[in-house]
Amino acid sequence: MKKYHIFSRFFNSMGSYYNLSELAQYMAVFYFNMRTVHFNTAGENFLELHEYAQELYEQAEDYYDDLVETAMSFNEMIQPMFVTPGDNLPISDFSNLDATDTIGVMINGVRTIYDYMESITKEVYPSFVYSKIDSMLEWLDKQNYKLTQMSKEI
């Protein structure tokens, strides 16, 4: 019987792999971007967006921590997170964002991670990992809905 090392790889429909480390890196970039948005939001809806960005980065940090712990429990190497401009996962440079820009950045971040996680196929990984991913997807979907509604109000 052929054995597959299913614990450290996600496979998408194109046959390439995703691993927990890479997924954690996407979550880390989202975390850093939301921290940056948190400190650079300005304008009319400052307080609401400032506090919401904090909610987003705090939850992203928890998800990141969970992804890293899960990966390490499978002895998967976690790559250090050193991102410079021009890398595949650039940390954005935001300054003095108005409400429309802030919401746009948040929506983009949420959708990027959501799309990445949606490409993970469920046949490859143990069910307890999918329950974590499903929880993250549900959270991201709720944030996307909330942000879309906020964008219509501004």
Side-chain angles (χ1 to χ4, degrees), residues 20-36 56-57 59-65 67-68 78-83 89-92 109 113:
L20 288 174
S21 177
E22 187 172 343
L23 184 55
Q25 287 180 344
Y26 273 84
M27 192 62 73
V29 169
F30 179 69
Y31 164 82
F32 286 118
N33 282 343
M34 292 307 102
R35 288 262 337 195
T36 304
L56 291 175
Y57 77 69
Q59 184 61 56
E61 182 178 31
D62 289 343
Y63 283 141
Y64 171 77
D65 187 57
L67 287 166
V68 170
I78 302 299
Q79 299 300 317
M81 189 65 193
F82 299 112
V83 180
L89 302 169
I91 295 174
S92 300
I113 293 178

Side-chain angles (χ1 to χ4, degrees), residues 89-140:
L89 302 169
I91 295 174
S92 300
D93 179 24
F94 308 115
S95 58
N96 296 322
L97 297 171
D98 65 17
T100 303
D101 293 336
T102 298
I103 291 173
V105 169
M106 291 175 171
I107 288 173
N108 185 51
V110 165
R111 288 181 181 165
T112 298
I113 293 178
Y114 188 90
D115 290 346
Y116 183 86
M117 293 177 85
E118 276 274 289
S119 67
I120 297 168
T121 59
K122 297 214 173 196
E123 303 84 42
V124 180
Y125 225 70
S127 62
F128 80 92
V129 174
Y130 291 116
S131 65
K132 293 177 186 211
I133 291 171
D134 287 344
S135 172
M136 290 178 206
L137 284 168
E138 183 179 325
W139 176 75
L140 289 165

Side-chain angles (χ1 to χ4, degrees), residues 36-79:
T36 304
V37 166
H38 172 75
F39 290 113
N40 289 290
T41 298
E44 187 177 323
N45 300 83
F46 164 77
L47 189 58
E48 177 186 11
L49 295 171
H50 175 79
E51 290 174 351
Y52 186 52
Q54 183 173 349
E55 288 176 35
L56 291 175
Y57 77 69
E58 286 174 350
Q59 184 61 56
E61 182 178 31
D62 289 343
Y63 283 141
Y64 171 77
D65 187 57
D66 192 33
L67 287 166
V68 170
E69 288 171 355
T70 303
M72 292 181 77
S73 72
F74 297 130
N75 296 320
E76 182 176 321
M77 297 296 296
I78 302 299
Q79 299 300 317

Side-chain angles (χ1 to χ4, degrees), residues 7-19:
F7 297 116
S8 65
R9 303 283 184 225
F10 289 122
F11 292 86
N12 69 15
S13 60
M14 302 302 287
S16 61
Y17 70 87
Y18 296 112
N19 58 40

